[in-house]
Amino acid sequence: MDSPHGAALSAEDFGLEGPRGWAFQGVGFRAAPGSLVAVEGPSGSGRTCLLLALTGRMRSTSGHAEVGGERLPGRLAAVRRFSALGPVPGVSELDPSLTVAEHLRERALLQRRFGTSPRALLRSRATRAAAAKARVDTALEAAGLDLAALPKAERTSVRDLERLEALRLSVALALTSRPRLLAVDDTDLKLSPADRAQAWELLRALADGGTTVLAVCSEAPEDALTVRTRPSAGARTDADGTTTEKETADAIAEAGRA
């Protein structure tokens, strides 16, 4: 049974096949609510597609999974309602031309418009604004992002953030919806050993707090529940070893984005 916060995960012979072949196949595992689940594998092995399938953003084609009591691939919309994406290249990236404050305001606006109950809309504008600010402040604290420590505080452009700071911002934006499942792609990409340790410390703390965390990486920490993927024939990567945005977009289109 799920905890009040995290979502239990399980998969059995879970796979996704498109016109170009298998993105991933034969995935099976079980994770309790509040687990830190690391999807480990080389670039091009279907890690991102598996993350998107388990969060209801892509439709699998074989086997099944259960996320927070909802069976996939049938209950995609239901899973999307309680899951949130951190950084996923080509899907939920930060806009480098915007400032940190602009990203936070945009997310707060979306939350007020689409993530608020009808009863909450009856509250005064001041009350709703205060609640939105409190939610953002809580998310920033949970993500470990200190705005005052940034070069220009909240007016800092995303393009001027360090990689770990950008990761924290993406996680904070995802946490504003108070998800039961948080998914993060390329967790350890382009991070120094020290920053990588901090990134895993952040995700581990979120899991310890009750949120189930699903994190794609090239090397999983020892204390994570590790799900491994294997490269499929014909996968293409950029010069730095990362899967191209076009590959991710093509995979989404081929699988049928819900």
Side-chain angles (χ1 to χ4, degrees), residues 34 36 142 198-211 213:
L36 173 59
Q198 289 190 54
W200 284 115
E201 182 180 353
L202 163 63
L203 299 183
R204 193 176 296 111
L206 294 174
D208 289 344
T211 303
V213 178

Side-chain angles (χ1 to χ4, degrees), residues 4-258:
H5 301 292
L9 299 177
S10 66
E12 184 176 341
D13 196 28
F14 199 48
L16 189 157
E17 184 180 20
R20 299 185 183 184
W22 289 97
F24 63 87
Q25 61 179 318
V27 173
F29 70 96
R30 289 185 176 274
S35 294
L36 173 59
V37 182
V39 179
E40 180 188 85
S43 182
S45 62
R47 303 175 307 176
T48 300
C49 291
L50 176 57
L51 177 147
L52 293 172
L54 287 171
T55 55
R57 273 75 177 178
M58 294 182 73
R59 184 179 295 276
S60 59
T61 56
S62 71
H64 67 271
E66 192 166 293
V67 182
E70 304 290 352
R71 192 176 178 91
L72 296 175
R75 298 281 291 169
L76 296 173
V79 171
R80 288 198 299 271
R81 281 195 289 270
F82 60 76
S83 64
L85 299 181
V88 179
V91 180
S92 58
E93 291 177 302
L94 298 173
D95 187 333
S97 66
L98 297 181
T99 66
V100 172
E102 287 169 336
H103 272 288
L104 293 171
R105 282 198 298 270
E106 179 184 57
R107 187 56 60 96
L109 178 63
L110 290 172
Q111 283 297 319
R112 288 199 299 271
R113 185 173 180 84
F114 300 108
T116 304
S117 67
R119 177 175 296 180
L121 295 175
L122 299 176
R123 299 171 184 167
S124 69
R125 180 176 297 180
T127 299
R128 283 182 283 144
K133 184 180 185 306
R135 181 173 289 199
V136 168
D137 289 345
T138 299
L140 288 170
E141 182 178 1
L145 183 62
D146 181 2
L147 299 185
L150 300 179
K152 295 181 181 179
E154 64 180 14
R155 295 182 294 107
T156 303
S157 294
V158 165
R159 64 168 59 90
D160 295 326
L161 295 176
E162 299 292 338
R163 161 68 180 161
L164 182 58
E165 293 170 338
L167 176 63
R168 291 187 187 277
L169 175 58
S170 288
V171 168
L173 293 172
L175 291 177
T176 59
S177 65
R178 298 173 183 167
R180 297 168 61 200
L181 172 63
L182 170 69
V184 179
D185 198 11
D186 289 338
T187 302
D188 52 5
L189 178 67
K190 298 181 180 179
L191 290 180
S192 67
D195 285 350
R196 187 179 303 121
Q198 289 190 54
W200 284 115
E201 182 180 353
L202 163 63
L203 299 183
R204 193 176 296 111
L206 294 174
D208 289 344
T211 303
T212 303
V213 178
L214 184 66
V216 164
C217 61
S218 58
E219 185 176 353
E222 292 183 357
D223 61 339
L225 190 162
T226 304
V227 178
R228 293 182 173 84
T229 56
R230 298 183 300 277
S232 57
R236 297 197 300 274
T237 58
D238 285 328
D240 64 357
T242 61
T243 304
T244 65
E245 291 184 12
K246 185 176 185 302
E247 287 295 312
T248 301
D250 285 350
I252 293 172
E254 288 170 358
R257 196 172 182 180

